[in-house]
Amino acid sequence: MGRLLASTTLAFIALSAPAFAADEECGNITVAEMNWASAGLAAWVDKIILEEGYGCEVGLVAGDTMPTFASMNEKAEPDMAPELWVNAVKEPLDKAVEEGRIVIASQILSDGGVEGIWVPTWLAEEHNIRTLKDALEHPELFPGAEDSSKGAWFGCPSGWACQAINRNQFVGSGAEEKGFELVDSGSAAALDGSIARAANRNEGWLGYYWAPTAILGQYDMTKLDLEAEFDRERWDTCMVIPDCADPQVTEWPVSDVYTAVTKEFADKAGVAMDYVKTRAWTNDTVNTMLAWMVENQASNEDAAYEFLEQHEDIWTTWVPADVADKVRAAL
């Protein structure tokens, strides 16, 4: 995560109110239903609004970041990827945009994908912990290390790109000298489990996590201020490299999360493109919906209907009043 697109090669389509009446021809649209929950939810929200509000015919196709991007870039299909994380395809996406094959329609995640070091909000408030330095002064508040005399800093699972970053943040902060142990969580499920276990025991927890995610919708967590700006050169030459010789604490970059469409779709889609240019939501909204999905064992489709029913204040700002009326009637 965490690669920003070069500003020279990306320009957003200007956001504007839909310029077409809802009853104009929309046509057939193919949308990638990516294999993670937030993107799957977005695909279903788009499908319902475009079909019920605009009269489109929307087909969902299974997707993942690299194969979906490659197919859009080389074959101009599917028409749209609602949630494309830029870091995984930065250079080829830059080129595809510059050469006119792909269009960035909108920033679907308005506050971007977020990574950082988190603690439970109740603990942050009770002990006045706002920064990483504050937390490192209190190893006794963060159990979970193999050595019970030390505090636990839960890092990324083995094999993840963020494992090296967390190791370097740990070393750069002097956490070991302050009485902490870096804990390899082993898997995403184990990392989630460590947060849930701490919450159930009313214990402190310190470690890496990211948003949007169900866990941050289920548990109230506070992202710590690292008191360090993002430094691109340091990031690329040290923080992402295992065993960097001289790591220093560095803020994570915000990951751009875009809706990408093919040039063909942008040129012909009319009302559908107007909608896509306007549609965006925040991490808090997505976290809440992902938590609801977990708690209710809900599908992407279930969650899309729940979102449309419970968050009318959000989605009605994306569409004209007549479209909103049609979607409401369908619900």
Side-chain angles (χ1 to χ4, degrees), residues 5-284:
L5 284 174
S7 59
T8 55
T9 59
L10 254 189
F12 283 107
I13 294 175
L15 301 184
S16 60
F20 294 84
D23 58 358
E24 284 198 26
E25 183 66 28
C26 179
N28 298 319
I29 301 169
T30 52
V31 176
E33 184 179 4
M34 301 295 208
N35 59 4
W36 60 91
S38 58
L41 168 62
W44 268 96
V45 169
D46 288 347
K47 175 179 172 66
I48 294 167
I49 290 178
L50 287 170
E51 288 190 336
E52 304 296 350
Y54 290 97
C56 310
E57 291 290 335
V58 179
L60 297 180
V61 295
D64 200 351
T65 301
M66 294 303 295
T68 295
F69 168 74
S71 182
M72 292 176 69
N73 190 31
E74 297 167 10
K75 304 176 183 178
E77 56 185 37
D79 293 308
M80 178 168 66
E83 184 181 301
L84 189 68
W85 287 69
V86 169
N87 61 298
V89 291
K90 179 188 181 300
E91 291 185 5
L93 179 58
D94 274 351
K95 184 176 181 181
V97 170
E98 186 175 12
E99 295 177 356
R101 294 186 298 278
I102 299 289
V103 172
I104 301 304
S106 63
Q107 185 167 341
I108 183 172
L109 200 58
S110 59
D111 43 358
V114 177
E115 299 173 85
I117 304 299
W118 306 71
V119 299
T121 297
W122 68 264
L123 184 140
E125 293 175 347
E126 184 174 313
H127 295 276
N128 196 30
I129 294 174
R130 294 291 178 267
T131 69
L132 177 59
K133 288 180 181 178
D134 292 339
L136 295 182
E137 293 300 318
H138 297 283
E140 74 280 0
L141 296 178
F142 304 103
E146 286 190 17
D147 182 344
S148 59
S149 68
K150 295 185 176 182
W153 172 321
F154 288 88
C156 272
S158 299
W160 287 24
C162 53
Q163 184 182 30
I165 298 169
N166 270 270
R167 175 265 176 194
N168 290 328
Q169 300 280 34
F170 180 85
V171 173
S173 67
E176 185 173 9
E177 292 78 5
K178 294 180 181 295
F180 280 80
E181 178 181 304
L182 183 60
V183 178
D184 183 348
S185 51
S187 68
L191 184 60
D192 290 355
S194 69
I195 296 174
R197 182 171 58 253
N200 292 336
R201 295 177 177 177
N202 204 36
E203 293 178 344
W205 186 92
L206 171 76
Y208 168 84
Y209 216 79
W210 70 97
T213 46
I215 281 289
L216 294 185
Q218 292 174 288
Y219 303 103
D220 190 2
M221 304 288 284
T222 292
K223 181 174 176 286
L224 296 179
D225 183 355
L226 301 188
E227 300 180 289
E229 297 294 329
F230 172 65
D231 184 316
R232 168 58 67 188
E233 182 178 2
R234 183 191 303 159
W235 191 265
D236 290 341
T237 60
C238 173
M239 300 306 289
V240 300
I241 298 173
D243 302 320
C244 172
D246 184 28
Q248 301 176 45
V249 173
T250 306
E251 185 58 80
W252 269 268
V254 173
S255 296
D256 290 325
V257 185
Y258 294 134
T259 294
V261 301
T262 62
K263 182 63 164 59
E264 289 81 355
F265 174 82
D267 289 343
K268 72 182 182 183
V271 292
M273 191 62 183
D274 288 328
Y275 160 74
V276 174
K277 287 190 293 184
T278 308
R279 185 262 290 113
W281 50 18
T282 65
N283 270 299
D284 284 346

